[in-house]
Amino acid sequence: MLVTLKEILDLCEASKCAVGSFNTPNLEAIMAVIQAAEEMDVPVIIQHAQGHESIMPLRTIGPVMIEMAKKAKVPVGVHLDHGETLDYIYDALNMGFTSVMYDGSVLPYDMNVANTRMAVAMASRTGASVEAEIGSMGRRETGAAVGDGKDPDKIYTDPAQAQRFVEETGIDALACSFGTTHGVYVREPKLDFCVVEQVRKRAHIPVVMHGGSGVKKEDFQEAISKGVRKVNYYTYMAIAGGETVADRFRMGCIPVEHQGKQYKYCYSLVESSRDTPILYHDIVQWGTGAMKKNCLEAMAVFAMK
Protein backbone atom coordinates (compact mmCIF):
# COMPACT_ATOMS: atom_id res chain seq x y z
CA MET A 1 0.00 0.00 0.00
CA LEU A 2 1.26 3.46 -0.91
CA VAL A 3 1.66 5.87 2.03
CA THR A 4 3.48 9.10 2.88
CA LEU A 5 6.73 9.55 4.77
CA LYS A 6 4.90 11.29 7.61
CA GLU A 7 2.51 8.37 8.03
CA ILE A 8 5.40 5.91 8.28
CA LEU A 9 7.33 8.16 10.68
CA ASP A 10 4.26 8.32 12.93
CA LEU A 11 4.25 4.51 13.04
CA CYS A 12 7.95 4.46 13.90
CA GLU A 13 7.53 7.08 16.60
CA ALA A 14 4.81 5.01 18.24
CA SER A 15 7.03 1.90 18.15
CA LYS A 16 10.31 3.73 18.97
CA CYS A 17 12.00 2.21 15.93
CA ALA A 18 13.20 3.41 12.51
CA VAL A 19 12.12 2.71 8.96
CA GLY A 20 14.66 1.53 6.43
CA SER A 21 14.77 3.76 3.35
CA PHE A 22 16.48 1.88 0.52
CA ASN A 23 17.73 3.28 -2.77
CA THR A 24 16.27 1.25 -5.62
CA PRO A 25 17.80 2.29 -8.96
CA ASN A 26 16.61 -0.89 -10.69
CA LEU A 27 13.72 -3.37 -10.66
CA GLU A 28 15.77 -6.01 -8.84
CA ALA A 29 16.41 -3.67 -5.90
CA ILE A 30 12.71 -2.74 -5.68
CA MET A 31 11.77 -6.42 -5.61
CA ALA A 32 14.39 -7.26 -2.98
CA VAL A 33 13.32 -4.44 -0.64
CA ILE A 34 9.56 -4.97 -0.86
CA GLN A 35 9.85 -8.75 -0.57
CA ALA A 36 12.00 -8.36 2.55
CA ALA A 37 9.54 -5.87 4.09
CA GLU A 38 6.60 -8.17 3.39
CA GLU A 39 8.44 -11.14 4.91
CA MET A 40 9.19 -9.14 8.07
CA ASP A 41 5.80 -7.37 8.02
CA VAL A 42 7.31 -3.91 8.49
CA PRO A 43 6.75 -0.59 6.66
CA VAL A 44 9.49 0.45 4.27
CA ILE A 45 10.55 3.26 1.95
CA ILE A 46 11.89 2.81 -1.56
CA GLN A 47 13.74 5.84 -2.86
CA HIS A 48 15.46 7.23 -5.93
CA ALA A 49 18.37 9.66 -5.65
CA GLN A 50 18.90 12.41 -8.18
CA GLY A 51 22.57 11.36 -8.18
CA HIS A 52 21.48 8.01 -9.66
CA GLU A 53 19.89 9.63 -12.71
CA SER A 54 22.76 8.41 -14.92
CA ILE A 55 22.21 4.84 -13.66
CA MET A 56 18.44 4.90 -14.04
CA PRO A 57 16.32 7.88 -15.14
CA LEU A 58 13.58 8.99 -12.75
CA ARG A 59 11.00 8.95 -15.54
CA THR A 60 11.77 5.28 -16.19
CA ILE A 61 11.97 3.86 -12.67
CA GLY A 62 9.59 6.23 -10.84
CA PRO A 63 6.31 4.84 -12.21
CA VAL A 64 7.54 1.30 -11.52
CA MET A 65 8.30 2.22 -7.89
CA ILE A 66 4.85 3.72 -7.40
CA GLU A 67 3.01 0.79 -8.98
CA MET A 68 4.91 -1.80 -6.92
CA ALA A 69 4.35 0.19 -3.73
CA LYS A 70 0.58 0.21 -4.39
CA LYS A 71 0.56 -3.59 -4.74
CA ALA A 72 2.67 -4.27 -1.63
CA LYS A 73 1.12 -5.96 1.42
CA VAL A 74 2.85 -3.52 3.81
CA PRO A 75 2.97 0.31 3.96
CA VAL A 76 5.49 1.57 1.38
CA GLY A 77 6.59 5.16 0.89
CA VAL A 78 8.03 6.28 -2.45
CA HIS A 79 10.65 8.93 -1.76
CA LEU A 80 12.95 11.19 -3.77
CA ASP A 81 16.37 11.12 -2.10
CA HIS A 82 18.74 14.08 -2.30
CA GLY A 83 16.77 16.21 -4.73
CA GLU A 84 19.24 18.94 -5.58
CA THR A 85 17.09 20.96 -7.97
CA LEU A 86 13.49 22.09 -7.58
CA ASP A 87 12.53 21.04 -11.12
CA TYR A 88 13.59 17.45 -10.36
CA ILE A 89 11.49 17.53 -7.18
CA TYR A 90 8.57 18.92 -9.20
CA ASP A 91 8.81 15.99 -11.63
CA ALA A 92 8.83 13.44 -8.79
CA LEU A 93 5.80 15.00 -7.10
CA ASN A 94 3.84 15.14 -10.35
CA MET A 95 4.71 11.49 -10.91
CA GLY A 96 3.10 10.54 -7.59
CA PHE A 97 6.03 10.28 -5.16
CA THR A 98 4.68 10.50 -1.61
CA SER A 99 7.71 12.32 -0.19
CA VAL A 100 10.73 14.26 -1.38
CA MET A 101 14.02 15.41 0.09
CA TYR A 102 15.36 18.79 -0.88
CA ASP A 103 19.12 18.81 -0.28
CA GLY A 104 20.42 22.36 -0.04
CA SER A 105 23.06 21.48 2.53
CA VAL A 106 25.89 22.82 0.34
CA LEU A 107 24.16 26.19 -0.07
CA PRO A 108 24.28 29.19 2.27
CA TYR A 109 21.76 28.81 5.10
CA ASP A 110 19.29 31.44 3.83
CA MET A 111 19.23 29.96 0.33
CA ASN A 112 18.70 26.47 1.75
CA VAL A 113 15.73 27.80 3.74
CA ALA A 114 14.21 29.60 0.75
CA ASN A 115 14.47 26.60 -1.57
CA THR A 116 13.26 24.18 1.09
CA ARG A 117 10.17 26.34 1.66
CA MET A 118 9.46 26.17 -2.07
CA ALA A 119 9.77 22.37 -1.94
CA VAL A 120 7.34 22.28 1.02
CA ALA A 121 4.86 24.45 -0.90
CA MET A 122 5.04 22.18 -3.96
CA ALA A 123 4.65 19.04 -1.84
CA SER A 124 1.60 20.44 -0.04
CA ARG A 125 -0.30 20.50 -3.35
CA THR A 126 -0.06 16.70 -3.64
CA GLY A 127 -0.14 15.84 0.07
CA ALA A 128 3.47 14.67 0.05
CA SER A 129 5.94 14.92 2.94
CA VAL A 130 9.27 16.76 2.87
CA GLU A 131 12.71 15.94 4.29
CA ALA A 132 15.58 18.43 4.22
CA GLU A 133 19.17 18.60 5.45
CA ILE A 134 21.60 20.88 7.23
CA GLY A 135 25.18 19.94 8.00
CA SER A 136 27.47 17.91 5.75
CA MET A 137 28.57 14.27 5.69
CA GLY A 138 31.59 15.05 3.53
CA ARG A 139 30.45 12.99 0.53
CA ARG A 140 27.46 13.19 -1.76
CA GLU A 141 24.99 10.32 -1.85
CA THR A 142 26.89 8.53 -4.64
CA GLY A 143 29.65 7.80 -2.13
CA ALA A 144 32.36 8.64 -4.65
CA ALA A 145 35.89 8.90 -3.26
CA VAL A 146 37.24 12.40 -2.92
CA GLY A 147 40.87 13.42 -3.44
CA ASP A 148 43.22 10.84 -1.95
CA GLY A 149 40.31 8.64 -0.83
CA LYS A 150 40.45 9.67 2.80
CA ASP A 151 37.17 10.32 4.57
CA PRO A 152 36.35 13.99 3.91
CA ASP A 153 35.68 16.51 6.65
CA LYS A 154 32.15 16.58 8.03
CA ILE A 155 30.17 19.53 9.34
CA TYR A 156 28.08 18.31 12.25
CA THR A 157 24.54 19.68 12.52
CA ASP A 158 24.10 22.51 15.03
CA PRO A 159 20.95 21.71 17.11
CA ALA A 160 20.12 25.39 17.58
CA GLN A 161 20.32 26.00 13.85
CA ALA A 162 18.29 22.84 13.26
CA GLN A 163 15.50 24.22 15.45
CA ARG A 164 15.48 27.49 13.53
CA PHE A 165 15.56 25.67 10.18
CA VAL A 166 12.58 23.46 11.07
CA GLU A 167 10.56 26.43 12.30
CA GLU A 168 11.31 28.44 9.16
CA THR A 169 10.60 25.68 6.63
CA GLY A 170 7.80 23.48 8.03
CA ILE A 171 9.46 20.22 6.96
CA ASP A 172 8.42 16.77 8.22
CA ALA A 173 11.86 15.22 8.80
CA LEU A 174 15.42 16.48 9.12
CA ALA A 175 18.58 14.77 7.91
CA CYS A 176 21.36 15.48 10.39
CA SER A 177 25.10 15.07 10.18
CA PHE A 178 26.43 13.34 13.29
CA GLY A 179 29.37 11.33 11.96
CA THR A 180 28.11 9.10 9.17
CA THR A 181 29.33 9.18 5.56
CA HIS A 182 27.76 8.17 2.25
CA GLY A 183 29.27 5.16 0.54
CA VAL A 184 31.94 2.80 1.90
CA TYR A 185 33.67 3.83 5.12
CA VAL A 186 37.43 4.21 4.85
CA ARG A 187 37.72 4.24 8.64
CA GLU A 188 35.39 3.49 11.54
CA PRO A 189 32.87 6.32 11.96
CA LYS A 190 32.80 8.34 15.18
CA LEU A 191 29.16 9.08 15.85
CA ASP A 192 28.01 11.93 18.09
CA PHE A 193 24.65 10.75 19.41
CA CYS A 194 24.27 13.95 21.42
CA VAL A 195 23.57 15.77 18.14
CA VAL A 196 20.57 13.52 17.49
CA GLU A 197 19.32 13.85 21.05
CA GLN A 198 19.62 17.64 21.08
CA VAL A 199 17.98 18.07 17.66
CA ARG A 200 15.01 16.02 18.86
CA LYS A 201 14.71 18.05 22.05
CA ARG A 202 14.95 21.41 20.34
CA ALA A 203 13.31 20.87 16.96
CA HIS A 204 10.74 18.20 17.91
CA ILE A 205 11.09 16.45 14.56
CA PRO A 206 12.04 12.93 13.38
CA VAL A 207 15.75 12.70 12.57
CA VAL A 208 17.00 10.97 9.42
CA MET A 209 20.28 9.07 9.37
CA HIS A 210 22.10 9.12 6.03
CA GLY A 211 25.16 7.01 5.23
CA GLY A 212 23.73 4.02 7.11
CA SER A 213 25.65 1.27 5.32
CA GLY A 214 28.54 -0.14 7.36
CA VAL A 215 27.45 1.20 10.77
CA LYS A 216 27.54 -1.32 13.64
CA LYS A 217 24.25 -2.74 14.96
CA GLU A 218 24.75 -1.23 18.42
CA ASP A 219 25.43 2.21 16.90
CA PHE A 220 22.31 2.01 14.74
CA GLN A 221 20.19 1.14 17.73
CA GLU A 222 21.78 3.79 19.95
CA ALA A 223 20.97 6.40 17.28
CA ILE A 224 17.40 5.12 17.05
CA SER A 225 17.02 5.28 20.83
CA LYS A 226 18.06 8.95 20.65
CA GLY A 227 15.46 9.82 18.03
CA VAL A 228 16.45 8.61 14.54
CA ARG A 229 13.29 7.43 12.77
CA LYS A 230 14.49 6.91 9.18
CA VAL A 231 17.73 5.26 8.06
CA ASN A 232 18.96 5.60 4.48
CA TYR A 233 20.64 2.45 3.21
CA TYR A 234 22.05 1.35 -0.14
CA THR A 235 25.78 0.74 -0.55
CA TYR A 236 26.17 -2.51 1.39
CA MET A 237 22.96 -3.90 -0.10
CA ALA A 238 24.37 -3.24 -3.58
CA ILE A 239 27.72 -4.75 -2.60
CA ALA A 240 25.95 -7.89 -1.32
CA GLY A 241 24.31 -8.36 -4.71
CA GLY A 242 27.50 -7.66 -6.64
CA GLU A 243 29.71 -9.93 -4.57
CA THR A 244 27.22 -12.80 -4.78
CA VAL A 245 27.15 -12.59 -8.56
CA ALA A 246 30.95 -12.48 -8.67
CA ASP A 247 31.13 -15.55 -6.42
CA ARG A 248 28.74 -17.46 -8.65
CA PHE A 249 31.07 -16.73 -11.54
CA ARG A 250 33.80 -18.32 -9.39
CA MET A 251 35.97 -15.25 -9.65
CA GLY A 252 39.41 -15.26 -8.09
CA CYS A 253 41.92 -12.43 -7.84
CA ILE A 254 45.71 -12.34 -7.66
CA PRO A 255 47.61 -9.15 -6.65
CA VAL A 256 49.88 -7.97 -9.46
CA GLU A 257 52.38 -5.12 -9.67
CA HIS A 258 52.81 -3.48 -13.07
CA GLN A 259 54.91 -0.39 -13.80
CA GLY A 260 55.02 0.51 -10.14
CA LYS A 261 51.27 0.26 -9.62
CA GLN A 262 49.26 -2.37 -7.75
CA TYR A 263 46.54 -4.25 -9.64
CA LYS A 264 44.21 -7.20 -9.17
CA TYR A 265 44.31 -9.90 -11.85
CA CYS A 266 40.87 -11.53 -11.78
CA TYR A 267 40.01 -14.86 -13.36
CA SER A 268 37.32 -17.51 -13.43
CA LEU A 269 38.33 -21.13 -12.82
CA VAL A 270 35.66 -23.60 -13.95
CA GLU A 271 35.92 -27.37 -14.38
CA SER A 272 35.38 -28.11 -18.09
CA SER A 273 32.70 -30.74 -17.45
CA ARG A 274 30.69 -28.21 -15.39
CA ASP A 275 31.02 -25.28 -17.78
CA THR A 276 27.37 -24.53 -18.59
CA PRO A 277 25.87 -21.34 -20.07
CA ILE A 278 24.88 -18.64 -17.58
CA LEU A 279 21.59 -16.98 -18.47
CA TYR A 280 20.87 -13.36 -17.60
CA HIS A 281 17.86 -14.28 -15.46
CA ASP A 282 20.21 -16.41 -13.34
CA ILE A 283 22.30 -13.30 -12.59
CA VAL A 284 19.14 -11.34 -11.71
CA GLN A 285 17.99 -14.04 -9.28
CA TRP A 286 21.39 -14.30 -7.60
CA GLY A 287 21.66 -10.56 -7.11
CA THR A 288 18.06 -10.05 -6.00
CA GLY A 289 18.27 -12.88 -3.48
CA ALA A 290 21.47 -11.52 -1.95
CA MET A 291 20.08 -7.98 -1.72
CA LYS A 292 16.91 -9.29 -0.07
CA LYS A 293 18.95 -11.18 2.53
CA ASN A 294 20.96 -8.04 3.30
CA CYS A 295 17.75 -5.99 3.55
CA LEU A 296 16.23 -8.48 5.99
CA GLU A 297 19.26 -8.15 8.25
CA ALA A 298 19.15 -4.34 8.11
CA MET A 299 15.40 -4.15 8.69
CA ALA A 300 15.71 -6.32 11.80
CA VAL A 301 18.25 -3.86 13.23
CA PHE A 302 16.09 -0.81 12.41
CA ALA A 303 13.07 -2.52 14.01
CA MET A 304 15.15 -2.84 17.22
CA LYS A 305 15.09 -6.64 17.08
Side-chain angles (χ1 to χ4, degrees):
M1 65 194 81
L2 182 64
V3 299
T4 67
L5 171 63
K6 188 177 186 307
E7 289 170 325
I8 290 181
L9 292 178
D10 287 344
L11 290 174
C12 292
E13 187 61 37
S15 301
K16 303 303 179 200
C17 66
V19 61
S21 193
F22 299 84
N23 287 89
T24 54
N26 49 59
L27 176 61
E28 294 78 17
I30 300 172
M31 292 169 58
V33 172
I34 292 181
Q35 287 173 12
E38 289 179 334
E39 185 171 319
M40 284 202 65
D41 193 24
V42 295
V44 73
I45 295 170
I46 52 176
Q47 61 184 25
H48 182 75
Q50 185 168 353
H52 285 162
E53 181 69 16
S54 61
I55 300 174
M56 174 64 72
L58 172 65
R59 293 185 180 184
T60 300
I61 200 67
V64 179
M65 295 168 68
I66 293 165
E67 189 62 26
M68 293 191 70
K70 289 178 179 178
K71 294 179 179 178
K73 299 175 184 177
V74 294
V76 180
V78 178
H79 180 71
L80 178 67
D81 183 33
H82 288 281
E84 299 172 15
T85 59
L86 292 171
D87 63 321
Y88 201 84
I89 288 174
Y90 181 85
D91 288 344
L93 290 169
N94 278 356
M95 194 175 291
F97 276 49
T98 57
S99 61
V100 295
M101 176 198 180
Y102 174 68
D103 183 0
S105 59
V106 300
L107 299 176
Y109 175 83
D110 289 341
M111 184 60 70
N112 190 5
V113 168
N115 285 352
T116 301
R117 291 181 67 176
M118 289 183 66
V120 170
M122 287 192 295
S124 68
R125 297 171 196 148
T126 64
S129 310
V130 178
E131 172 190 340
E133 179 178 347
I134 54 175
S136 171
M137 280 164 280
R139 295 186 183 191
R140 305 305 288 168
E141 71 281 0
T142 57
V146 178
D148 59 6
K150 294 180 179 179
D151 211 11
D153 291 337
K154 305 177 183 71
I155 301 173
Y156 285 54
T157 299
D158 175 9
Q161 188 181 60
Q163 178 184 356
R164 177 185 166 197
F165 185 80
V166 170
E167 291 171 350
E168 292 179 345
T169 59
I171 57 174
D172 300 291
L174 181 67
C176 292
S177 174
F178 60 98
T180 55
T181 294
H182 290 119
V184 178
Y185 287 95
V186 297
R187 58 174 176 259
E188 185 174 345
K190 296 180 180 179
L191 307 184
D192 187 350
F193 301 111
C194 291
V195 171
V196 178
E197 192 171 30
Q198 289 302 311
V199 167
R200 282 300 302 257
K201 285 182 178 179
R202 299 186 66 131
H204 307 290
I205 193 169
V207 171
V208 180
M209 179 179 183
H210 285 235
S213 296
V215 174
K216 294 184 294 186
K217 175 182 178 179
E218 53 266 34
D219 286 342
F220 271 129
Q221 297 193 333
E222 178 69 12
I224 293 168
S225 73
K226 298 298 185 184
V228 165
R229 293 292 173 259
K230 173 176 177 278
V231 180
N232 282 21
Y233 191 91
Y234 174 66
T235 303
Y236 281 61
M237 175 183 80
I239 289 174
E243 288 185 343
T244 296
V245 170
D247 288 344
R248 294 299 292 261
F249 276 104
R250 305 172 184 87
M251 295 295 291
C253 292
I254 299 173
V256 175
E257 183 176 338
H258 176 64
Q259 295 181 345
K261 294 183 179 180
Q262 298 298 319
Y263 295 88
K264 286 183 179 179
Y265 179 81
C266 296
Y267 62 92
S268 179
L269 184 65
V270 183
E271 186 180 340
S272 296
S273 61
R274 300 180 63 185
D275 188 13
T276 57
I278 295 175
L279 305 181
Y280 179 70
H281 65 249
D282 294 327
I283 299 172
V284 169
Q285 288 183 321
W286 300 337
T288 303
M291 288 191 292
K292 177 184 174 182
K293 180 176 182 294
N294 187 267
C295 288
L296 283 168
E297 294 168 354
M299 288 175 185
V301 174
F302 305 155
M304 302 295 279
K305 295 181 179 179

